[in-house]
Structures are given as C-alpha cells and as structure tokens.
Amino acid sequence: MIFGRKKQNAKEEAVETVEVAEEASVDEEAPKAEEAPELSEPEAQARAWDDEFDREEGPFDIAEVDLEADEDDVTRLDLGSIIVTPFEGMTIQLQVNRDTNVVQSILVGDGESGLEVAAFAGPTKSSMIPEIREEIIKATAQQQGQIAVSQGPFGSELRRALPVKDPNGNAATHLSRTWMVSGPGWLLRGVLLGKATFEPENEDAQVALFEFFSNIVVRRGTAPVAPGSLLPMKVPEAEG
C-alpha cells in the first residue's frame, strides 16, 4: 500500500440486540422459515475463498484512505469513480461507450499482459459476487466456452476460455481471468488478459497488474444508483 489508511474511530461498536419472539401457543403453528437452496460444491468453495479475503491491503474505499497524508511524491490519475496509481511503463486506454460517450472502463497494460477495470454500484451490506459469478458461468456455457473457478489473489477468480475467430477467420480461443472485489456500496471488476492469463501461476507476469488493482481507490459517491449499474469514469487528470 502506498498511501496512509485513515485511523479508525476509538468509539466502541454498539452491541447489536434482537428481540426474541414469544413461543407460539399450542393452537398457533409458527411459520416455517424458507430453506436456503443448497449450494453446489464449486460455489460453496468459491464463497469460502471470497470470505477468506479481506481488503486490508486493497482495493480501497475513498473513506478508508487519506490521500493527502502521503509524504511521497506519488502520481495518481483521478477517473471520478476510481483513483488509480500508474506504474512504470504502464499503458492506458479508455473504453468509451460510443452511444453515450461515457468512459465505462479502462484497459491498462505492461507490454505482455492487460487488465480491464470497471466499477459498479453494489449493495451496502452484502455482495453481488455470487450473482455475477452465476451470470458469467451461464453466459460462458451459452457461448460454448469453458470456465473454472479457482482461488486467486482477491478471493475466487474465474478462468474462461471462449471460442473465437482470429483475424483470418480461423478458430481460436480467447482466455481471460476475472477478479471481483466488493466494497461498501460498490463492486470492482478486473479482467486479466495476455501472458498473465496464459501463465496463471507465473507471479512475475501479473505482479504489476496485481499491485495496480490492489491500489485502486473507489469513489462510490452519494447519489442513489441501482446495484449492478456502471459507475462511469471521466478522463483522468494527473495528480502530484
């Protein structure tokens, strides 16, 4: 982490209390709670990996860090919904929706690998990752691709192989890895491409993009936004 975290309030957390309902009388039958659907073994494992991950080392929410406290001369790019820290030799492309002219994601690269980053609104007290994971798995099956859920640096990650055509019209395969991290009211998604995808166990191939993703700061904003909606970006400006 290359910036200071804000100190937590010294106040003790309030103890949560719940009211206990009185036992139903003999003549009244207590309503039965709906049973949660049983999770498949891969989904249960994926959720366990997600639960093991915490954001102590990022990505961060804007309320969790103090960007003004840095003594280092760090250059950052403020894209509105996210603030990023470039690394040496990094390339950056803005992915713009042609219909709305809105920057919806960025694609950064190190010459051999790339990472497409997008931010979305999410629930305040829960995670959309299981729901999105299910959608991606279904979409992959519809495209006759292959997908695996593995343990990644940010919890579970999705590794996909989709059939495509190369520029000459020949059959080819498009490989990608997807990282997803939930924060307070937001979800950050990163899709890895290139060498870091072909060699998922090669830490050197992904270290720069891993550090980049870890140091992203999300600025969710206070405007009401439906969960799953894109948090649009703006053209970045360099900060000293």
Short mmCIF file of all heavy atoms in Angstrom, two decimals, residues 6-7 17 19 23 25 48-49 70 72 80 91 122 134 169 175 178 191 204 216 218 220 232 236:
data_model
loop_
_atom_site.label_atom_id
_atom_site.label_comp_id
_atom_site.label_asym_id
_atom_site.label_seq_id
_atom_site.Cartn_x
_atom_site.Cartn_y
_atom_site.Cartn_z
N LYS A 6 -6.85 5.76 6.91
CA LYS A 6 -7.42 6.61 7.94
C LYS A 6 -7.55 5.82 9.23
O LYS A 6 -7.86 4.64 9.23
CB LYS A 6 -8.81 7.12 7.52
CG LYS A 6 -8.75 8.15 6.40
CD LYS A 6 -10.11 8.72 6.13
CE LYS A 6 -10.05 9.79 5.05
NZ LYS A 6 -11.37 10.34 4.72
N LYS A 7 -7.32 6.47 10.36
CA LYS A 7 -7.44 5.81 11.64
C LYS A 7 -8.89 5.54 11.96
O LYS A 7 -9.75 6.37 11.71
CB LYS A 7 -6.81 6.67 12.75
CG LYS A 7 -5.30 6.84 12.59
CD LYS A 7 -4.73 7.66 13.73
CE LYS A 7 -3.21 7.78 13.59
NZ LYS A 7 -2.63 8.58 14.69
N THR A 17 -28.64 -5.79 19.25
CA THR A 17 -29.62 -6.54 20.03
C THR A 17 -30.77 -6.93 19.12
O THR A 17 -31.10 -6.25 18.15
CB THR A 17 -30.18 -5.71 21.19
OG1 THR A 17 -30.79 -4.52 20.67
CG2 THR A 17 -29.06 -5.30 22.14
N GLU A 19 -34.82 -8.75 19.27
CA GLU A 19 -35.93 -9.18 20.11
C GLU A 19 -36.22 -10.64 19.84
O GLU A 19 -36.23 -11.10 18.69
CB GLU A 19 -37.17 -8.34 19.82
CG GLU A 19 -37.01 -6.87 20.22
CD GLU A 19 -38.29 -6.10 20.00
OE1 GLU A 19 -39.27 -6.73 19.55
OE2 GLU A 19 -38.31 -4.90 20.28
N GLU A 23 -42.82 -17.77 22.33
CA GLU A 23 -43.15 -19.07 21.75
C GLU A 23 -44.61 -19.09 21.31
O GLU A 23 -45.49 -18.53 21.95
CB GLU A 23 -42.91 -20.18 22.78
CG GLU A 23 -41.44 -20.35 23.15
CD GLU A 23 -41.26 -21.51 24.09
OE1 GLU A 23 -42.27 -22.15 24.43
OE2 GLU A 23 -40.12 -21.79 24.49
N SER A 25 -48.31 -20.37 20.79
CA SER A 25 -49.19 -21.17 21.63
C SER A 25 -49.48 -22.50 20.97
O SER A 25 -49.15 -22.72 19.81
CB SER A 25 -50.51 -20.40 21.85
OG SER A 25 -51.19 -20.26 20.63
N ALA A 48 -16.25 -19.64 0.06
CA ALA A 48 -15.28 -19.77 1.15
C ALA A 48 -14.02 -18.96 0.84
O ALA A 48 -13.46 -18.28 1.71
CB ALA A 48 -14.94 -21.24 1.38
N TRP A 49 -13.56 -19.03 -0.41
CA TRP A 49 -12.39 -18.24 -0.81
C TRP A 49 -12.70 -16.74 -0.70
O TRP A 49 -11.85 -15.97 -0.26
CB TRP A 49 -11.98 -18.58 -2.23
CG TRP A 49 -11.30 -19.91 -2.37
CD1 TRP A 49 -10.50 -20.53 -1.45
CD2 TRP A 49 -11.36 -20.78 -3.51
NE1 TRP A 49 -10.06 -21.73 -1.94
CE2 TRP A 49 -10.55 -21.92 -3.19
CE3 TRP A 49 -11.99 -20.73 -4.74
CZ2 TRP A 49 -10.38 -22.97 -4.09
CZ3 TRP A 49 -11.82 -21.77 -5.64
CH2 TRP A 49 -11.02 -22.89 -5.31
N ASP A 70 0.10 11.53 2.28
CA ASP A 70 1.33 10.99 1.70
C ASP A 70 2.47 11.99 1.75
O ASP A 70 2.30 13.16 1.43
CB ASP A 70 1.11 10.59 0.24
CG ASP A 70 0.15 9.43 0.12
OD1 ASP A 70 0.04 8.68 1.10
OD2 ASP A 70 -0.48 9.29 -0.93
N ASP A 72 5.25 10.93 0.11
CA ASP A 72 5.89 10.58 -1.14
C ASP A 72 5.31 11.39 -2.28
O ASP A 72 4.16 11.81 -2.25
CB ASP A 72 5.70 9.08 -1.43
CG ASP A 72 6.29 8.21 -0.36
OD1 ASP A 72 7.28 8.64 0.24
OD2 ASP A 72 5.76 7.11 -0.12
N GLY A 80 -12.66 9.83 -11.50
CA GLY A 80 -14.01 10.02 -10.98
C GLY A 80 -14.42 8.91 -10.04
O GLY A 80 -14.27 9.02 -8.83
N THR A 91 0.68 1.32 -19.92
CA THR A 91 -0.14 1.92 -20.97
C THR A 91 -1.58 1.96 -20.47
O THR A 91 -2.00 1.12 -19.67
CB THR A 91 -0.07 1.12 -22.27
OG1 THR A 91 -0.56 -0.21 -22.04
CG2 THR A 91 1.35 1.05 -22.79
N GLY A 122 -23.09 -1.40 -5.88
CA GLY A 122 -23.44 -2.66 -5.25
C GLY A 122 -24.22 -2.45 -3.99
O GLY A 122 -24.39 -1.31 -3.53
N GLU A 134 -22.54 -16.42 -11.18
CA GLU A 134 -23.52 -17.31 -11.82
C GLU A 134 -23.86 -16.84 -13.23
O GLU A 134 -23.97 -17.65 -14.15
CB GLU A 134 -24.79 -17.36 -10.96
CG GLU A 134 -25.86 -18.30 -11.53
CD GLU A 134 -27.12 -18.34 -10.67
OE1 GLU A 134 -27.17 -17.61 -9.65
OE2 GLU A 134 -28.05 -19.08 -11.02
N GLY A 169 -10.14 -15.52 -39.78
CA GLY A 169 -11.35 -16.34 -39.78
C GLY A 169 -11.15 -17.74 -39.27
O GLY A 169 -12.06 -18.58 -39.34
N LEU A 175 -8.69 -16.40 -23.89
CA LEU A 175 -8.53 -16.72 -22.47
C LEU A 175 -8.61 -15.44 -21.62
O LEU A 175 -8.13 -14.39 -22.03
CB LEU A 175 -7.19 -17.40 -22.22
CG LEU A 175 -6.92 -18.72 -22.96
CD1 LEU A 175 -5.53 -19.24 -22.61
CD2 LEU A 175 -7.98 -19.75 -22.63
N THR A 178 -10.93 -13.36 -14.31
CA THR A 178 -11.73 -12.28 -13.76
C THR A 178 -11.57 -12.21 -12.25
O THR A 178 -11.79 -13.19 -11.54
CB THR A 178 -13.22 -12.46 -14.11
OG1 THR A 178 -13.38 -12.46 -15.52
CG2 THR A 178 -14.06 -11.32 -13.52
N VAL A 191 -10.48 -7.75 -15.36
CA VAL A 191 -10.37 -8.88 -16.28
C VAL A 191 -8.95 -8.91 -16.84
O VAL A 191 -8.52 -7.99 -17.55
CB VAL A 191 -11.39 -8.78 -17.43
CG1 VAL A 191 -11.25 -9.98 -18.37
CG2 VAL A 191 -12.81 -8.71 -16.88
N ASP A 204 5.43 -13.33 -11.70
CA ASP A 204 6.10 -12.20 -12.34
C ASP A 204 5.26 -11.61 -13.46
O ASP A 204 5.36 -10.41 -13.75
CB ASP A 204 7.46 -12.64 -12.90
CG ASP A 204 8.45 -12.98 -11.80
OD1 ASP A 204 8.26 -12.49 -10.67
OD2 ASP A 204 9.40 -13.74 -12.07
N ILE A 216 -6.16 0.49 -6.22
CA ILE A 216 -7.30 1.29 -6.71
C ILE A 216 -8.12 1.78 -5.52
O ILE A 216 -8.38 1.04 -4.58
CB ILE A 216 -8.18 0.46 -7.67
CG1 ILE A 216 -7.42 0.17 -8.97
CG2 ILE A 216 -9.48 1.19 -7.97
CD1 ILE A 216 -8.17 -0.72 -9.94
N VAL A 218 -11.83 3.39 -4.74
CA VAL A 218 -13.16 3.56 -5.34
C VAL A 218 -13.88 4.72 -4.68
O VAL A 218 -13.96 4.80 -3.46
CB VAL A 218 -14.00 2.27 -5.21
CG1 VAL A 218 -15.38 2.48 -5.87
CG2 VAL A 218 -13.28 1.10 -5.86
N ARG A 220 -17.41 5.86 -4.63
CA ARG A 220 -18.78 5.46 -4.97
C ARG A 220 -19.71 6.65 -5.17
O ARG A 220 -20.59 6.65 -6.02
CB ARG A 220 -19.31 4.52 -3.87
CG ARG A 220 -20.81 4.32 -3.80
CD ARG A 220 -21.37 3.60 -5.00
NE ARG A 220 -22.77 3.31 -4.84
CZ ARG A 220 -23.75 4.20 -4.98
NH1 ARG A 220 -23.46 5.46 -5.27
NH2 ARG A 220 -25.01 3.85 -4.81
N PRO A 232 -19.71 5.36 -13.93
CA PRO A 232 -18.95 5.90 -15.04
C PRO A 232 -17.69 6.62 -14.59
O PRO A 232 -17.61 7.17 -13.50
CB PRO A 232 -19.92 6.86 -15.72
CG PRO A 232 -20.88 7.25 -14.64
CD PRO A 232 -21.02 6.03 -13.77
N PRO A 236 -8.94 11.01 -17.13
CA PRO A 236 -8.08 11.20 -15.97
C PRO A 236 -7.24 12.46 -16.04
O PRO A 236 -6.88 12.93 -17.11
CB PRO A 236 -7.21 9.95 -15.98
CG PRO A 236 -7.14 9.57 -17.42
CD PRO A 236 -8.50 9.90 -17.99
#
